[in-house]
Amino acid sequence: NNNNQIWGYFILRGKEIPEEVTDAADFESFEWTPVDHTDSKTRAEIEDCFAWEGPALPRECYDGKVFK
């Protein structure tokens, strides 16, 4: 049905987005929002996102990737 979305979390050191990320050709097509890593709801969503399943996910995850 072509109702696809790309979403997830980037964990970056510091409060600035590194030049290696901003130089990417598709950088402006993403929405970048800082989150409070001390908030229990946010932490649960991040943990479930990295596991690609769980009750805290905002939507179902059909495929996942982890980049290091």
Side-chain angles (χ1 to χ4, degrees), residues 45-58:
E45 187 175 299
I46 291 170
E47 289 172 5
D48 287 355
C49 179
F50 288 169
W52 307 327
E53 63 184 9
L57 290 178

Side-chain angles (χ1 to χ4, degrees), residues 7-27:
W7 63 273
Y9 287 94
F10 279 84
I11 297 180
L12 306 170
R13 182 174 292 168
K15 295 189 181 224
E16 300 296 322
I17 299 174
E19 186 176 347
E20 294 82 4
V21 176
T22 60
D23 278 348
D26 61 349
F27 171 76

